[in-house]
Amino acid sequence: MSQQIVLLAIKSLVDDNKQPTLALVKGRLSSRQPMPLVIEAINAYKRDPSIIEGLTPAEPTVTPTNTLSLEKRVAELESQVAILLKRVTQLEASH
Protein backbone atom coordinates (compact mmCIF):
# COMPACT_ATOMS: atom_id res chain seq x y z
CA MET A 1 0.00 0.00 0.00
CA SER A 2 2.77 2.44 0.90
CA GLN A 3 4.60 1.77 -2.34
CA GLN A 4 1.36 2.48 -4.21
CA ILE A 5 1.23 5.91 -2.54
CA VAL A 6 4.74 6.61 -3.81
CA LEU A 7 3.87 5.27 -7.28
CA LEU A 8 0.87 7.62 -7.37
CA ALA A 9 3.20 10.53 -6.64
CA ILE A 10 5.46 9.37 -9.48
CA LYS A 11 2.45 9.09 -11.79
CA SER A 12 1.42 12.62 -10.87
CA LEU A 13 4.88 13.89 -11.84
CA VAL A 14 4.90 11.94 -15.11
CA ASP A 15 1.43 13.29 -15.92
CA ASP A 16 2.93 16.78 -15.50
CA ASN A 17 5.75 15.84 -17.92
CA LYS A 18 8.35 15.88 -15.15
CA GLN A 19 11.08 13.30 -14.61
CA PRO A 20 10.57 11.76 -11.16
CA THR A 21 13.49 12.47 -8.85
CA LEU A 22 13.78 11.77 -5.15
CA ALA A 23 13.16 15.40 -4.22
CA LEU A 24 10.17 15.82 -6.55
CA VAL A 25 8.57 12.57 -5.46
CA LYS A 26 8.98 13.39 -1.76
CA GLY A 27 7.46 16.79 -2.47
CA ARG A 28 4.37 15.20 -4.04
CA LEU A 29 3.74 12.76 -1.20
CA SER A 30 0.78 13.60 1.02
CA SER A 31 2.25 11.64 3.92
CA ARG A 32 5.76 10.84 5.07
CA GLN A 33 7.18 7.66 3.62
CA PRO A 34 10.47 5.94 4.46
CA MET A 35 13.32 6.96 2.18
CA PRO A 36 14.18 3.36 1.16
CA LEU A 37 10.58 2.84 0.07
CA VAL A 38 10.64 6.00 -2.06
CA ILE A 39 13.96 5.03 -3.64
CA GLU A 40 12.70 1.50 -4.37
CA ALA A 41 9.54 2.85 -6.00
CA ILE A 42 11.57 5.21 -8.20
CA ASN A 43 13.88 2.36 -9.20
CA ALA A 44 10.88 0.12 -9.94
CA TYR A 45 9.43 2.85 -12.17
CA LYS A 46 12.76 3.27 -13.99
CA ARG A 47 12.96 -0.50 -14.58
CA ASP A 48 9.36 -0.68 -15.82
CA PRO A 49 7.59 2.64 -16.54
CA SER A 50 4.35 0.78 -17.24
CA ILE A 51 4.10 0.08 -13.51
CA ILE A 52 2.20 3.35 -13.03
CA GLU A 53 -0.35 2.73 -15.78
CA GLY A 54 -3.85 2.27 -14.46
CA LEU A 55 -3.09 3.68 -11.01
CA THR A 56 -5.83 5.90 -9.66
CA PRO A 57 -5.82 7.70 -6.34
CA ALA A 58 -8.14 6.31 -3.70
CA GLU A 59 -11.11 8.56 -3.04
CA PRO A 60 -11.36 9.64 0.58
CA THR A 61 -14.47 8.19 2.15
CA VAL A 62 -16.82 10.24 4.28
CA THR A 63 -18.68 8.23 6.85
CA PRO A 64 -22.24 9.20 7.71
CA THR A 65 -21.40 9.40 11.43
CA ASN A 66 -18.60 11.85 10.66
CA THR A 67 -20.98 13.96 8.57
CA LEU A 68 -23.61 13.96 11.30
CA SER A 69 -21.14 15.11 13.92
CA LEU A 70 -20.00 17.90 11.60
CA GLU A 71 -23.58 18.99 10.99
CA LYS A 72 -24.24 18.95 14.73
CA ARG A 73 -21.11 21.00 15.39
CA VAL A 74 -22.07 23.57 12.73
CA ALA A 75 -25.54 23.89 14.28
CA GLU A 76 -23.96 24.47 17.71
CA LEU A 77 -21.61 27.11 16.31
CA GLU A 78 -24.44 28.88 14.50
CA SER A 79 -26.40 28.97 17.77
CA GLN A 80 -23.41 30.44 19.60
CA VAL A 81 -22.94 33.10 16.90
CA ALA A 82 -26.62 34.07 17.14
CA ILE A 83 -26.33 34.47 20.92
CA LEU A 84 -23.16 36.54 20.59
CA LEU A 85 -24.72 38.78 17.93
CA LYS A 86 -27.70 39.39 20.20
CA ARG A 87 -25.38 40.36 23.06
CA VAL A 88 -23.35 42.69 20.84
CA THR A 89 -26.54 44.35 19.64
CA GLN A 90 -27.68 44.83 23.26
CA LEU A 91 -24.30 46.30 24.25
CA GLU A 92 -24.31 48.71 21.31
CA ALA A 93 -27.84 49.82 22.13
CA SER A 94 -26.92 50.56 25.76
CA HIS A 95 -24.07 52.91 24.80
Side-chain angles (χ1 to χ4, degrees):
M1 179 68 181
S2 295
Q3 187 173 19
Q4 185 174 6
I5 293 169
V6 179
L7 290 172
L8 285 168
I10 292 170
K11 182 176 183 343
S12 171
L13 288 166
V14 171
D15 290 346
D16 291 344
N17 294 319
K18 294 183 180 178
Q19 180 66 29
T21 63
L22 184 59
L24 289 176
V25 171
K26 286 191 72 78
R28 288 283 172 111
L29 292 172
S30 58
S31 61
R32 294 182 67 146
Q33 299 296 326
M35 186 79 70
L37 180 71
V38 176
I39 293 169
E40 177 55 37
I42 292 171
N43 288 336
Y45 166 74
K46 286 180 180 178
R47 284 190 303 270
D48 181 15
S50 67
I51 195 170
I52 61 170
E53 291 176 11
L55 287 178
T56 56
E59 301 268 337
T61 57
V62 177
T63 59
T65 56
N66 193 12
T67 303
L68 292 177
S69 64
L70 287 176
E71 290 174 356
K72 182 179 177 184
R73 183 69 180 140
V74 168
E76 290 174 6
L77 290 172
E78 287 175 340
S79 173
Q80 290 174 358
V81 167
I83 292 168
L84 290 173
L85 285 173
K86 184 177 179 183
R87 290 178 66 187
V88 167
T89 304
Q90 289 173 348
L91 286 173
E92 287 176 344
S94 68
H95 283 97

